[in-house]
Amino acid sequence: MKRIQKTFFAQDVLEVAPQLLGQTLCRRFESGEEVRLALTETEAYGGEEDLASHARFGKTKRNQVMYGKAGSLYVYLIYGIYWMLNVVTGNVGEPQAVLIRGARTQSGKVLDGPGKIGQFLQLSKDFYGQNCLESKKLWFEKGKTIKPEDIVCSPRIGVAYAGQWAHKPWRFDLVNNSSSK
DNA sequence: TCGACGATTGCC
DNA sequence: GCAATCGTCGAG
């Protein structure tokens, strides 16, 4: 299998987020077991001007990795319970990231929601700042290419505080996967 | 330092 | 409808 390279993640987040649909997310556990997920739902977070983004207050201890190299993993704890998985995109200095919201296992199990993804992948703070171009624990491989007409855009989830930015259609779903929303 | 709260989920 | 649970953030 072929690991997805830096040129892909270095694109603008609005290019990367939809193009990640259908690609393969790979995880190697401590036991040596490897699992692969087909991505079905993503969300794009733009720069500091995006009031829905963690970068809206500028660079902070938590979000600094978003300002770094494309392909870096931005993993953070939400509600003290769930670990969220993001991949940094764009150029260094531009805090962009894609949130992984949904995927399907090889056995067909549906992981619907970012918290469940993190649970399944057994994420932790150790993943913060890892680079998916090099990591032995988490990376992306070339999967299926999704046709534009099979992608559905809608507003992002859980960002009502973001004013007009909450309405941006920056959530991307597979069309045959969006019925449950 | 302090108080508030979140890119969520599941149970009441 | 709301509690769980804690690190981070801006304010004081």
Side-chain angles (χ1 to χ4, degrees):
Chain A
M1 290 297 165
K2 189 180 175 190
R3 189 182 289 230
I4 296 178
Q5 299 300 310
K6 184 165 187 173
T7 51
F8 175 77
F9 295 104
Q11 299 175 92
D12 187 86
V13 69
L14 291 180
E15 293 289 330
V16 177
Q19 289 182 46
L20 269 177
L21 296 179
Q23 307 302 339
T24 307
L25 172 56
C26 309
R27 168 78 162 102
R28 181 183 172 86
F29 295 105
E30 293 302 319
S31 66
E33 181 193 4
E34 282 188 13
V35 294
R36 285 155 202 277
L37 302 176
L39 298 182
T40 58
E41 184 182 352
T42 61
E43 271 180 9
Y45 286 85
E48 294 180 348
E49 71 283 357
D50 179 2
L51 297 183
S53 171
H54 287 167
R56 65 187 179 280
F57 298 123
K59 188 186 283 189
T60 66
K61 178 174 182 177
R62 178 173 65 168
N63 70 24
Q64 55 180 331
V65 71
M66 295 178 77
Y67 291 78
K69 291 181 291 187
S72 299
L73 298 180
Y74 174 35
V75 173
Y76 69 91
L77 185 65
I78 187 68
Y79 295 107
I81 303 173
Y82 302 103
W83 292 94
M84 312 294 263
L85 174 61
N86 301 255
V87 191
V88 174
T89 71
N91 301 315
V92 171
E94 297 176 336
Q96 304 184 335
V98 177
L99 170 66
I100 307 300
R101 288 196 59 92
R104 192 160 36 240
T105 68
Q106 289 176 301
S107 59
K109 180 179 180 181
V110 174
L111 300 174
D112 199 11
K116 294 179 185 172
I117 301 276
Q119 230 168 25
F120 183 86
L121 296 176
Q122 297 176 31
L123 298 181
S124 69
K125 62 173 178 285
D126 295 339
F127 285 80
Y128 182 90
Q130 276 196 36
N131 191 311
C132 75
L133 308 174
E134 304 164 356
S135 175
K136 291 181 169 59
K137 296 179 180 178
L138 193 61
W139 67 95
F140 296 87
E141 289 178 0
K142 185 64 186 168
K144 197 174 157 190
T145 298
I146 306 298
K147 291 176 297 198
E149 59 264 36
D150 290 333
I151 296 176
V152 176
C153 307
S154 52
R156 292 172 291 183
I157 303 294
V159 295
Y161 57 81
Q164 286 303 106
W165 292 87
H167 305 314
K168 299 271 185 191
W170 288 358
R171 169 169 165 245
F172 304 95
D173 260 309
L174 290 183
V175 64
N176 57 317
N177 194 54
S178 59
S179 50
S180 59
K181 307 288 175 352

